[in-house]
Amino acid sequence: MWLKPEEILLKNAFKLWVTEKDNEYFVLQRRRGYGEGGGGLTGLLVGTLDTVLDSTSKVAPFRILHHTPDSQVYWSIACGVTKEEIVQHWDWLQQNIMRTLSVFDSSEDITSFVQGKIRGLIAEEGKTSLVLEEDPEKFREALLRFEKWFELPQEEKLVTYYSCSYWKGKVPCQGWLYLSTNFLCFYSYLLGSEIKLVISWDEVWRLEKTSNVLLTESIHVLAHGEDHYFSMLLHLNETFVIMEQLADYSIKRLFDKEAFQREPALSDPLQITKRGLEAHAKSDQFRTFFRLPKEENLLEVHESFLWVPFSHYNTLGKICLSENYLCFASQDGSQCHVIIPMREVVNVEKPDSSSRALTVCVRGKRALRFSEVRDYQRLANTIRSRCGISASPQHSASTEVTKLHFPSSQQSTGRKIETEYKSTDKSQNSKAVSTEALMTVFHPQDVENLDPKMLKEKMKEQSWNIHFSEYGRGTSMFFTRKTRDLIVRGVPEALRGELWMLFSGAVNDMATHPGYYTELVEQSLGTSTLATDEIERDLHRSLPEHPAFQSDTGISALRRVLTAYAYRNPKIGYCQAMNILTSVLLLYAKEEEAFWLLVAVCERMLPDYFNRRIIGALVDQAVFEDLIRENLPQLVEHMTDLSFFSSVSLSWFLTLFISVLPIESAVNVVDCFFYDGIKAILQLGLAVLDYNMEALISCHDDAEAVTILNKFFDSVTNKDSPLPPTVQQASVGNNDKTSHPKVDISELIREAYEKYGNIRSEEVESSRKRNKLYVIQTLEDTTKQNVIRVVSQEVRFTAAQLDELYNLFKRQHFRCCYWTMKSPALLHHDPSLAYLEQYQLGFQQFSVLFSLLEPWAFCSTKSPLSLWIFRLIDENQDGLVNFKEFCCALDTLHNGSFTNKLKFLFKLHLPPALREVGFHPSLLQKQLSCDLKTSECLCVNITGRGKVDLQAYLKQWQNEILKKEETIKDLPRIDQTQFIQFSKTLYNIFHGDPEEESLYRAVAHVTSLLLRMEEVGRRLQEPRSPPESTKPASTADSPSSTTTGSHDSQDAGPDLTETEWSFSFEQVLASLLNEPSLVSFFERPVDVHAKLGQAKVAQLKLKANK
């Protein structure tokens, strides 16, 4: 490897280098302690010194130095891992450089020329892979060490590396931590003791920062049940963040099967960089804080002051610029932030260059003044250009939609939608999108009603109107502490839908996608999928006590929204609890608004909540448990097992307390949720437990604790709710009302904010990341135990062996995802399938793994036998093999009886396994591509829009239950061509065996015997056959003498009678049983444990399959 020229004052300092070759301008040296004559104490000391000092010499013990005769200064220009590599560099210098150097007059010119040439070679090599690294030279050296030490496939991308100590027991080992796209690696070499550690990110259970008596601060990694600690990191926080990002990236890519088409920095695992990960993390944090669409990326950040008109002072903060939004967040503790969509910007002015200020004018005659912006001129130009882009037809058409929350525009938009969907055809009624919130239809406010509750409602509206006049209204409103205070007191019924849209960011989604919901409704209604069946089942269970959902108006609107969302996002489709949440959204928001609110909740605010495994809810339950330990120590002392709170709080998180609180109280919780996110739900959960602390501590079992909480929720009321009794939910615990005093929801929420409002959203997100690893690995482990329990009933492998096999199978599934985003495994994955089908292998992955585990080494990855075995065990012919099918095949070959092993080999040479009449390498390639195309087509059908054929699955399960044990009499006969191929397979199995010669003779004897038996049988049947057939029958002897040679056997193929004779499995079995050497070979036990160990080591060293 060519190195950036570096000056070396002493070419042989401390005699650590030995000269191998030299000439007038170059010296080739070998590191002492390596190669011939190495070892001993010198080798140990040199190796330790190289590792601790991060010397390239540890992995590249050869180097080339440049010098001139009249100088004592040497320059290192190349290093090599092997002597062959360094000699290639040496020869290149001799052929291309030495002749040229003679034309220079001075030593300085010679050195300058050599350095320029070497730098040019390095630049040429690093054009593609190292262009994004901060220090390409250092990174090249680190990459060399990484590849040499860990022997991972060349496709593996090193992201960054750090010097640190790894604690092995109570002893720290100084070494180097390497973080790559798919692996965490550590290397240390101290006085002959070498430590190598390789952990794939998909195997990490815990990743956290810890500290104790020995370790002031360290990073703890839990994987494979073992704890690993890394300390003495110069930049510990930076290292931890990168590790956290890589683990999260691995989870999304491998477990969730997410793609990153919108993020070029992450779209290709071969091009992941530290810079790209940091940019992704910042953009993600930016979108989360400002509730922006997932398409937005953080482009620029500028520190500045913003003039706050309602406070009459400048607040310090940061301007954050994305493709379509200009955002500002304060840093002085005032909790002030504002979001300005570019489509709302009218003009950008620069009033005062001395103060480096610019003014952004938005619709509604409002302006925001930013001052002390370092690069204000460029920022102003950027905003102008972005606004020019945002003035495209799409954005200009959405201007009216943006103003939906203002009274004047509500009516015009409503008329527009009504006109668009008005139809006299009754069949179209179900598609007519509702333009009014259901609450306004079923509970219109009586303006003349002046009862105390209505008066208080009017006072709330007045408070919000004052707030709007001071802080603005709509998308560019200022968000401050006062906004939160108003939220905690309760949102007026008339403003609830508008504010939910604003706080959740759904208003921006709807504004930038005009007509999108309408198209979805038209496309989705009438479709029949698993999701639509579940939606129909749950429609009448959604707030059944509310009048809106006792009529076709409410039910139809709910159906349209849920069906449209299932069509939009088939990965989620429909999940229970979505109906309850959507029904509440429809009460206060128009139908299209309710749809976009649902999008905001499912895809941004509650990620991974609404899917088959409800991972997001389980993660937040783990976060909730951590908060209970931190804030309610008394409760933890009494109830050491906090899993009870996880089970009882699941509905709190999934339905935002809607399922446990009366509807008039629950909507207040939803108000807080849309403003503060999951933090509001966590705070309220803590407040509920704190309120019932004494009762929970005194209870004796879980059932009593559940009863206490249920009675508490029944006692929660909303004394300010203007809803009539017909709309309000009745309390479940009516009989016991007297013993439970009423609790007002506003007081409960206020108490939650006062006691637990110090919980920061950043801490919640960090805890989510930390707990997500553990939750997913726990679910994966449960899946593994279920699979092993099912498979163990059909194979003779032990539970420990099945555990190892499952890990190998799963890793092989992941291997094809490690280095590409377009692998077949990504297409094959369908989380709705049974756990046995979660991980499957296509042919290429199967052939690699099977060749590592099969007992006789007869089935190489390029052998046609791999394809035949794959077809044989792929029972449903979908181009994929699951773990059960894989294990059953291996079990037959490892643990099966002689008869079963022979039957397996026999079936390999029958359809559907063997389809070709003859075999040629080009034919295998064609067949492989054909099988892969078939597999991809099947995958598209599986993952398309959630269409799952339940009847097909039920039929398949029924067939498996009723399937009878196959007997040897059920097997079809094998013809001449198939029999010749069968003989070849036996020869391949015996190749390399110590008793190879005797086994060959035995097979030849069996082949000859079978052919003679067939000849005898043919002659016995001759009288019944036409006279013409007797003559060619005598030619059947010709194959008998040539079957031992495969080429001669094929030469006998053109015989006209070859299709007329065949063998049954009983004949083949009986003949082979007469050969003791064959029987003993197949009954020879195989060391399964050793095979598994060898496969585990070899699996990662195999070349990656793209």
Side-chain angles (χ1 to χ4, degrees), residues 344-349 359-363 366-368:
E344 293 291 309
V345 176
V346 177
N347 192 20
V348 180
E349 301 174 357
T359 302
V360 178
C361 304
V362 297
R363 299 182 194 276
R366 294 185 58 222
L368 292 92

Side-chain angles (χ1 to χ4, degrees), residues 12-40:
N12 197 16
F14 305 111
K15 298 189 181 298
L16 297 177
W17 293 91
V18 179
T19 300
E20 298 268 324
K21 294 182 181 181
D22 64 348
N23 58 36
E24 190 177 359
Y25 297 109
F26 301 101
V27 179
L28 190 156
Q29 295 183 326
R30 171 178 54 82
R31 188 73 162 173
R32 189 177 296 277
Y34 295 89
E36 298 178 4

Side-chain angles (χ1 to χ4, degrees), residues 468-482:
F468 291 147
S469 64
E470 292 181 1
Y471 297 87
R473 185 171 187 173
T475 50
S476 54
M477 183 179 86
F478 281 88
F479 295 81
T480 64
R481 286 178 177 172
K482 189 174 180 183

Side-chain angles (χ1 to χ4, degrees), residues 180-229:
S180 67
T181 307
N182 300 294
F183 300 96
L184 178 157
C185 306
F186 177 83
Y187 183 86
S188 174
Y189 183 89
L190 292 172
L191 299 177
S193 175
E194 186 179 56
I195 297 175
K196 282 185 185 180
L197 181 69
V198 179
I199 301 171
S200 60
W201 294 114
D202 54 84
E203 297 168 341
V204 174
W205 283 64
R206 285 278 187 197
L207 180 62
E208 56 192 354
K209 287 189 287 188
T210 59
S211 59
N212 55 38
V213 178
L214 284 176
L215 310 176
T216 53
E217 199 171 14
S218 63
I219 296 175
H220 170 222
V221 179
L222 173 62
H224 298 298
E226 297 180 7
D227 293 299
H228 307 277
Y229 292 91

Side-chain angles (χ1 to χ4, degrees), residues 58-73:
K58 173 63 182 171
V59 291
F62 297 93
R63 72 178 181 179
I64 296 176
L65 304 179
H66 163 66
H67 73 107
T68 53
D70 55 350
S71 174
Q72 294 298 314
V73 178

Side-chain angles (χ1 to χ4, degrees), residues 559-626:
R559 178 188 292 112
R560 286 191 295 270
V561 172
L562 292 174
T563 307
Y565 185 78
Y567 191 82
R568 164 192 164 87
N569 191 345
K571 184 179 177 181
I572 292 178
Y574 171 77
C575 181
Q576 280 191 340
M578 286 174 69
N579 62 318
I580 297 174
L581 175 61
T582 307
S583 59
V584 172
L585 298 178
L586 282 167
L587 290 178
Y588 294 97
K590 299 175 184 178
E591 187 175 320
E592 185 177 6
E593 293 174 342
F595 169 79
W596 287 113
L597 284 169
L598 184 64
V599 169
V601 171
C602 294
E603 298 176 15
R604 286 202 302 270
M605 302 185 73
L606 296 179
D608 298 324
Y609 259 62
F610 301 100
N611 54 35
R612 299 284 172 181
R613 301 198 291 179
I614 56 171
I615 291 173
L618 296 176
V619 169
D620 283 343
Q621 282 182 308
V623 174
F624 188 50
E625 285 186 21
D626 291 344

Side-chain angles (χ1 to χ4, degrees), residues 384-397:
R384 285 198 190 97
S385 64
R386 293 284 172 191
C387 292
I389 295 171
S390 67
S392 62
Q394 174 182 342
H395 288 277
S396 60

Side-chain angles (χ1 to χ4, degrees), residues 2 117-128 137 140:
W2 299 110
K117 196 70 178 176
I118 299 302
R119 286 193 178 98
L121 291 171
I122 292 172
E124 191 66 30
E125 286 179 359
K127 268 184 179 179
T128 54
E137 301 300 330
R140 289 174 80 251

